[in-house]
Amino acid sequence: MLSAKGIRNGFIDFFKGKEHAFVPSSPIVPIDDETLLFANAGMNQFKDIFLGLRRPSKERVVNSQKCLRVSGKHNDLEEVGKDTYHHTFFEMLGNWSFDDYFKAEAIEWAWELLTDVWGIDGESLWVTVFAGDEKDGLPKDKEAEGLWTKVTPIPAERVLAFGKKDNFWEMGETGPCGPCSEIHIDLGPDRCDMKDVSGHKCRVNAGCSRFIELWNLVFIQYNRGEDGKLVELGAKYVDTGAGLERIAAVMQGKGSNYDSDLFMPIIDCIGEITGERYTSRLGNRIDNAFRVISDHIRALVFSITDGGRPSNEGRGYVIRRILRRASRFGRELGMHEPFMYRLVPVVVDCLGDAFGEIKERADYVSTVIESEEAAFGRTLDRGIEIFETAAGRAAKKRDKTISGEDAFQLYDTYGFPLDLTQLMAEERSLKVDKPVFEELMEEQRERARAAQKGASLMVALADAELPVTEDLHKYHADECDSKVIGWIETGSFKREGSIGVGDDIGIVLDRTCFYAEAGGQVGDCGVIESEGGRFIVEDTARVADCVVHRGRLVEGAFKVGEKVKAKVSKDRDSIKKNHTATHLLQWALQQVVGKSVAQQGSLVGPDYLRFDFTCPKALSGKQIKDIEDLVREKIAADLPVTCAVMPREEASKLGAMALFGEKYGDDVRVVAIGVEGEEKVGDAFSKEFCGGTHVDRVGAIGGFKIIKEESISAGVRRITALTGEGLGKYLEQRSGIVDELSAKLKVPAEEVVERVERLIKENKKLTKELKSAGRQKGSDTMAEAKELLDKAERIGEAAVIVGRLSATGAEQGRAAIDMLRRKAKSAAVVLGFEEDGRATLLVGVTSDLVKKGLSAGEIVKEIAPIVDGGGGGRPAMAQAGGTNPKKIDDALAKATELIREKF
C-alpha cells in the first residue's frame, strides 16, 4: 500500500521523467495576488503566464500545491465532516504545459500514471469531456473525446459528455479558459450514499459518493473578453489537478479520505486527547466532529504558517471562522479547554517532510492557535446560552427562523461567525434570517467607514489617473532638481493652476529623492523650494507609481510646470541607520532564538526602530544581551552594505528573506550585509528583499541598544531599539537620572544600585510590619464589635447594635458590620469612630429589615449633619464622614432613636 508521501513523490517523479521541472508550492496566503484570499488551485502561481504578463522559465512544470477552499464559489467549509471527501485544506497534484504539449500527451500520461504505475483498475475509470455550449458558440470537444479512445484502452461508452457547468473551466468572469476532461472512478454500489433518495441512479456527476472525480485535465485554449465573448488563444496550455487526499484513499483501499494516512494520525491524537472513539460513520455527531477538527487543524497550520493570522477582516476572519468552528465541534467531544494546539505536532509529522516551513514555525503556530482557542472559549459557553434562548424563540415561530438581530448579537458580542450560528441552527432544524443579519453588518461597516472618512489625503484616488514619478534618486541623493506637474487636494488630482500659502496638499513632481513610506520605513520629510515659494514636506506616500509629497506651502506660491529643488531633511541619516540595524537585528534574533523567528512587521523612523517577530515566549535577559552583543560586533567590524537588483527567483535561490504578505515584482532589490560587490551577494550573512534606504557601511550606525521587549499578540513579540543620535540622547538622559539618584541618596554612582536594593529591602520589612499592625487593629475592632453585639438591644427578633469603636479604619469597620449582620441574622448596625481628626459613621441593615422599610442610606442622611458632614449609600449599607468627631455619640444616639421609630 502506497503512503500519501509515496503517492506525492511518485506523481512528481513520474512527470520529472516526462521532462517536467518541479516547482515548489506557492504560499497558501498569496503574496502577490490581491484578488485571492487564499491559493485555491495549483494554477494560481502561474496566472501571470496564462494572462501573457510574463514568460515561463520552464515549458513543463509539476508540483503539489497547498490549497484552501473556504470562500467564493470554491467554498467547501459547510460540507466538511458531513461526507467522506470534502475538505478546506488539500493538496493539488498538478502538471502544466505552457504552449508545449496539449491534449494527447495530457490524456495519455494521466492514464499511464493511474493504471500502469499506480495499478488502478482501468475498468473502474470513467472520463468526461465538454459537450459544447450553444450560447458561447462552442462545439463539443471531439478532439478530447477521440483521443481518449485512441491513446488509452477506455471504451467509448465510458467517455461521457457534459455541459459547461461540469466540463468548462474559467479563471473568472474574464480571462483564459477552456474545456476540461475529468477522470472519475467507480468505487462500487456499496459506496452509494443516496440509496434512500427516490429516483436516484448511480452514475458520473449524479451527486453520490460511488463515483468520485480523481483528476481534472484543463485545456486552456480561449480567452473571455470584457464583452463576454470568447477568442481563440495564440498559445495553448495544459493545467491539471488531482486531489492527493482522494487519490490516497483510493490507493490505500479506504472508504473515506479521512481513513487515509493523511488524517488518521490526527484523528488518533484527537481520540487520545478527548477520550472519544472514531468509528468512521456518517451522520454521527461524534464522528462528524472528528472529521471537522482533523480537517480544520490542517487548514490552520498551513494558513498561519504562511503568514495568516486570526482577525476580524479578510483572510484573518476566514482563519478565525475555521478555528472557532473547530473549537465549537470540540464541545461535541467534551473539550472545554484549548486542545487543538496540541494537534500541531501531529500535522507536522504527517506533512512536514513535504512542506518544511510548517516544521520551522510549529511553535509559533501552536501559540497562536492556543491563544485564539482560549479567547473564544471565554465567550463560547455564554454565546451558546444566548443561542439556546434565540433558538427557543425561533422554534415557537411558524417559519422556524432565528432572527437576524439575534444572529448579529452572537457575531458582534460573542464572536460567532454567521456560518457557526447557521450550523447550530441546522442541527435543530431551524433557519437564520441572513438578509437582516447582512443589513446589520452593512450598517456596522458604514459606521466604520464614516469614522475613517477624511482620515487620508489619498481618499478617492484609487481610480485616478496619476503620473509616474521617477524616484531612483532616493538611494543616492538627498536633494535633486525637479518640476511640479500637479498636486492632490480633497481627493482629486490637479494638473493646472497654482498653489497658495497654507494649503494642506500633496505635491507631485516629475522626479524626486524623497522615499515614500513602504516596507515599514516612514516617508521622508524635508522641503521643496523654488525662487518664489517654499513647501514643507511632512510626509511622503505612494499611490500606485506616483510619489506624493504631503505638507503645506509656507511661503510664496507654486505653479504647475515650475522648476523646484527637493531637499530631504537630515532625519534621512538616522532612518538609514535604523533600517540597516533592523536587518542586523533580524539576523541576530535568528542566531540566538532560532530560524523559526520570522518578521511580522516593522517601523523604521528617525527616532527609533521597532521590529515585530514570531516567538512563543518573552526573551530572557541573557538572550537580549546576546542579541545586542552580536549586532554591536557587526557594527564594530564596519562591514559593507551592498544593494543589488535581480530577478526574484534568483534572489530566493541565494537565500534572501522575503516578508510574508509583501508584494514583490519580477525583479527585487536585495540588501546584503557583509560583502562588497553585487556578484558576492550570495555570500552575505544577512540578505533580505528590501526597497528601503541604508547606510553604506554598518559602522555608521554607531551603536545599538534594545530598550523594550514586549508581547503584542499571541506568539508575536516586539522589540524597540535605538541607534545613532537617538541612542546618544537616551544614554545622556539615563546618565542624568543616575547622577540625580546619586545626589539624592548621597552615594557614588557605582553604589546607587546597592543603596536602592537596601532601601527596597527596608521598605518590604516596614510594609510587613504595617500589615501585621493592621491585622492586630482589625482583630481589636472585631472584638469590640462582638461586645456591642452581646449588649445589643432586641426589638422582637431584630438586634439594634449601635456603638462607638476605638481607633480603626473604614475597611475594618465595614468588615465588622458584615460580621455583625451575619451573626445576628436580623439586625440594624450603626458604628462610629474617629480617624485622623475626622468622624466616620457606618450603617448596615440586614435584608429582612430592608424589606420592612428600614434603610441604611436614609439613616446616614439624617445623622451625618450632626458631625458636620454628609454621606449616603444603599439600603443595606451606607457611610458618612464629618469634620466634628466630638459629636459622634450624639449621632449614634439619634440613629438609635430613628431605628426604634421604624419598629
Side-chain angles (χ1 to χ4, degrees), residues 24 38 59 65 92 108 112-113 145 181 199 218 225 298 378 472 477 522 585 594 662 666 699 717 763 786 813 826 837:
F38 299 98
E59 293 178 333
Q65 173 65 43
M92 184 74 85
E108 181 181 359
E112 179 186 346
L113 178 59
E145 184 180 46
S181 191
V218 180
R298 294 180 359 135
R378 288 191 286 270
L472 290 177
V522 301
L585 171 59
E662 192 73 17
D666 290 337
R717 310 291 302 178
N763 185 60
K786 286 177 183 176
S826 176

Side-chain angles (χ1 to χ4, degrees), residues 163-176:
K164 192 174 172 182
K165 176 179 177 292
D166 295 304
N167 280 83
F168 193 85
W169 180 89
E170 301 196 57
M171 183 185 295
E173 296 296 324
T174 62

Side-chain angles (χ1 to χ4, degrees), residues 660-726:
F660 271 126
E662 192 73 17
K663 187 175 182 180
Y664 300 100
D666 290 337
D667 291 329
V668 297
R669 184 168 179 265
V670 175
V671 174
I673 305 177
V675 295
E676 201 155 10
E678 295 185 12
E679 71 282 357
K680 296 182 179 178
V681 165
D683 298 327
F685 71 87
S686 166
K687 40 191 176 287
E688 298 185 31
F689 290 23
C690 182
T693 58
H694 290 268
V695 296
D696 295 326
R697 303 188 72 89
V698 295
I701 295 171
F704 178 82
K705 173 68 179 174
I706 294 173
I707 61 170
K708 185 185 290 185
E709 193 274 342
E710 60 188 323
S711 170
I712 59 169
S713 66
V716 180
R717 310 291 302 178
R718 170 174 289 170
I719 280 177
T720 303
L722 300 175
T723 70
E725 187 178 341

Side-chain angles (χ1 to χ4, degrees), residues 387 390-391 394 397 400-404 406-407 421 425 430-433:
F387 172 83
K397 297 181 187 176
K400 308 294 184 187
T401 300
I402 293 174
S403 73
D406 283 336
T421 302
L430 301 173
K431 296 179 292 184
V432 177
D433 190 341

Side-chain angles (χ1 to χ4, degrees), residues 310-492:
S311 70
N312 288 328
E313 295 179 357
R315 294 177 181 127
Y317 181 57
V318 174
I319 294 171
R320 177 162 282 169
R321 283 171 57 201
I322 294 171
L323 194 149
R324 292 185 171 185
R325 193 170 187 270
S327 182
R328 186 262 165 185
F329 272 97
R331 291 296 199 271
E332 300 284 1
L333 304 179
M335 298 306 297
H336 291 266
E337 298 295 327
F339 74 98
M340 286 186 294
Y341 73 96
R342 296 164 63 185
L343 302 174
V344 173
V346 191
V347 177
V348 171
D349 287 343
C350 289
L351 298 167
D353 288 342
F355 305 102
E357 61 272 20
I358 65 172
K359 282 184 178 180
E360 294 175 2
R361 306 193 85 194
D363 289 344
Y364 164 66
V365 171
S366 296
T367 302
V368 172
I369 291 175
E370 182 181 12
S371 174
E372 185 72 10
E373 279 188 277
F376 185 48
R378 288 191 286 270
T379 62
L380 179 55
D381 290 327
R382 177 57 182 152
I384 289 173
E385 290 177 19
I386 299 298
F387 172 83
E388 294 294 350
T389 302
R393 286 195 294 267
K396 297 174 183 177
K397 297 181 187 176
R398 183 175 297 177
D399 62 359
K400 308 294 184 187
T401 300
I402 293 174
S403 73
E405 290 83 359
D406 283 336
F408 183 75
Q409 182 193 10
L410 284 166
Y411 163 79
D412 196 42
T413 307
Y414 299 101
F416 277 43
L418 178 62
D419 49 20
L420 178 55
T421 302
Q422 289 175 313
L423 170 70
M424 295 168 67
E426 183 183 318
E427 291 172 350
R428 291 161 176 75
S429 300
L430 301 173
K431 296 179 292 184
V432 177
D433 190 341
K434 188 174 179 181
V436 171
F437 174 87
E438 292 294 352
E439 285 177 18
L440 294 169
M441 281 295 295
E442 185 56 33
E443 288 176 11
Q444 187 182 71
R445 293 187 194 106
E446 283 293 335
R447 288 192 294 270
R449 282 193 284 265
Q452 294 173 355
K453 191 174 181 181
S456 172
L457 185 67
M458 307 307 162
V459 172
L461 282 176
D463 298 321
E465 192 174 324
L466 296 173
V468 175
T469 308
E470 192 273 284
D471 67 342
L472 290 177
H473 300 280
K474 65 190 176 189
Y475 293 127
H476 54 76
D478 292 339
E479 61 179 67
C480 70
D481 294 324
S482 189
K483 183 174 67 176
V484 177
I485 57 175
W487 75 94
I488 294 168
E489 186 175 18
T490 61
S492 62

Side-chain angles (χ1 to χ4, degrees), residues 85-100:
Y85 53 88
H86 273 102
H87 306 291
T88 53
F89 171 85
F90 63 96
E91 283 185 64
M92 184 74 85
L93 304 172
N95 58 290
W96 287 266
S97 166
F98 304 124
D99 203 24
D100 183 43

